[in-house]
Amino acid sequence: MGMKEMFNLARVPSILLLGLLYVAYVLIGGVLFWKLEGDLGEKDISDLLMNKRKLLSTYTCLDQEGLEEVAQVIQDAFKVGLSLKGNSTTDGFWKFTSSAVFAATVVTTIGYGNMSPSSTAGQIFCVFFALFGIPLNMVVLNRVGKYMLVIERNIFDFLQEKINRERCTGFFIHLVSYLSGALLFFIVPMLVFHHHEGWTYSEAIYYCFITLSTVGFGDFVADNNPDNVYPEWYSVLMASWIFFGLAWLALIINHSIDILERLDAHVKQWWGGHRQEEKENRNLDGEEKVKQPPLTC
């Protein structure tokens, strides 16, 4: 295969354009995060240092070593889900319901980081559990997403027979699918988290997307506050919301990928047609020059 076949003129520009767009998107995102969060991060650090000095000056019996020991106790208590506000004890994180939610975050690759196995047996089991659970989760989510797509297409075919307008029907079906999914997996959970976790609406909607996109920063985690008393159904609702929400968001992402691929195909078609037109124009110009008689004095 020659170099011309390997580097097809209709494909190389689109690949380069897509690569440049990706790099520019990441760099612009980095700049915006830097500008939006950089000053706040510096302010948080200065406030923390000031509070540290104030704490050491208030409790004179507490030195740097003692402060580090207190911080270690707080960190260990947070890791196992215990509250230090009172003398009462709780079950911690590792009860059945929260352990089941943790297992769901492992196989879905969310991985908040708020809880993790600390025993050697638990860590080894987590490796093998994730090794087989992640592919199984992908297969099941793919199958559920296909069923959702089949339902959507059946509704589309039914309405198309009644209305006989393919474009309007398709747009309406996609719109209803997006809006119903946003209501079930974003708006309703946002209200639930606002009520049970005490988060603001912006924090709750932020948590919903970070979870369902499997980014899982871990700065906000539901069913994680040891000072709250959660109802028994809360963990079950959490696991169900994560599973079906992931399937729905995967369907939305597939639609978005399809749109981008169609856009890329249009760009390739336009670029190929444009180059073909230039080639034909050059051939016509060459033929006209050949047909012109030589100039005589």
Side-chain angles (χ1 to χ4, degrees):
M1 182 181 292
M3 294 294 293
K4 291 184 179 180
E5 289 80 3
M6 293 177 62
F7 298 98
N8 190 286
L9 293 177
R11 290 185 178 182
V12 172
S14 64
I15 294 175
L16 292 177
L17 179 63
L18 190 61
L20 291 174
L21 179 63
Y22 177 79
V23 173
Y25 188 80
V26 172
L27 294 179
I28 291 172
V31 170
L32 291 178
F33 280 124
W34 174 38
K35 293 298 181 182
L36 292 172
E37 301 292 334
D39 295 337
L40 294 177
E42 294 177 0
K43 183 177 182 300
D44 292 338
I45 293 174
S46 61
D47 291 342
L48 185 61
L49 293 175
M50 184 180 65
N51 291 334
K52 174 187 174 181
R53 290 191 293 266
K54 182 179 178 181
L55 181 66
L56 292 175
S57 62
T58 303
Y59 302 96
T60 55
C61 61
L62 188 65
D63 56 3
Q64 178 66 33
E65 184 179 356
L67 181 62
E68 292 177 0
E69 292 179 359
V70 172
Q72 186 64 45
V73 171
I74 296 174
Q75 183 178 356
D76 293 340
F78 175 78
K79 187 175 181 180
V80 298
L82 297 179
S83 175
L84 298 177
K85 289 185 176 181
N87 295 324
S88 60
T89 59
T90 61
D91 295 334
F93 281 147
W94 296 107
K95 50 188 178 181
F96 172 71
T97 52
S98 58
S99 299
V101 173
F102 169 76
T105 61
V106 170
V107 298
T108 56
T109 68
I110 295 175
Y112 292 120
N114 63 308
M115 58 187 294
S116 58
S118 55
S119 65
T120 303
Q123 292 170 350
I124 294 175
F125 172 73
C126 185
V127 171
F128 288 98
F129 180 74
L131 184 64
F132 294 99
I134 292 174
L136 177 63
N137 175 75
M138 294 177 63
V139 171
V140 174
L141 286 180
N142 185 43
R143 184 63 58 87
V144 173
K146 287 183 178 179
Y147 276 120
M148 289 182 176
L149 188 60
V150 168
I151 294 173
E152 182 179 306
R153 288 177 176 174
N154 289 337
I155 297 175
F156 171 76
D157 294 337
F158 174 77
L159 292 178
Q160 185 179 354
E161 293 178 357
K162 301 294 182 181
I163 302 176
N164 292 326
R165 291 185 179 181
E166 183 175 352
R167 291 187 178 181
C168 295
T169 305
F171 174 78
F172 176 75
I173 292 298
H174 287 309
L175 181 62
V176 171
S177 177
Y178 293 157
L179 292 179
S180 60
L183 178 65
L184 287 175
F185 301 114
F186 282 92
I187 304 302
V188 173
M190 177 189 69
L191 299 176
V192 174
F193 294 141
H194 173 72
H195 176 71
H196 287 280
E197 303 291 343
W199 298 337
T200 63
Y201 291 114
S202 60
E203 291 171 344
I205 201 73
Y206 163 79
Y207 166 75
C208 289
F209 182 80
I210 293 301
T211 296
L212 296 184
S213 60
T214 70
V215 175
F217 290 127
D219 48 353
F220 292 93
V221 182
D223 196 15
N224 183 59
N225 190 348
D227 299 317
N228 285 355
V229 178
Y230 297 102
E232 292 296 330
W233 51 264
Y234 195 67
S235 297
V236 178
L237 182 65
M238 277 281 301
S240 301
W241 167 70
I242 289 175
F243 177 77
F244 290 103
L246 283 173
W248 174 79
L249 193 61
L251 184 63
I252 299 299
I253 292 175
N254 287 333
H255 281 305
S256 302
I257 292 174
D258 183 58
I259 292 173
L260 291 176
E261 288 180 346
R262 289 184 181 182
L263 181 62
D264 180 62
H266 284 301
V267 171
K268 288 181 180 179
Q269 185 178 4
W270 173 82
W271 181 265
H274 182 67
R275 293 191 63 86
Q276 183 66 26
E277 184 179 354
E278 289 182 349
K279 185 177 180 180
E280 291 177 356
N281 291 334
R282 287 197 299 267
N283 292 335
L284 290 175
D285 293 340
E287 291 177 359
E288 289 178 357
K289 289 181 181 180
V290 171
K291 291 179 179 179
Q292 288 180 353
L295 297 176
T296 56
C297 298

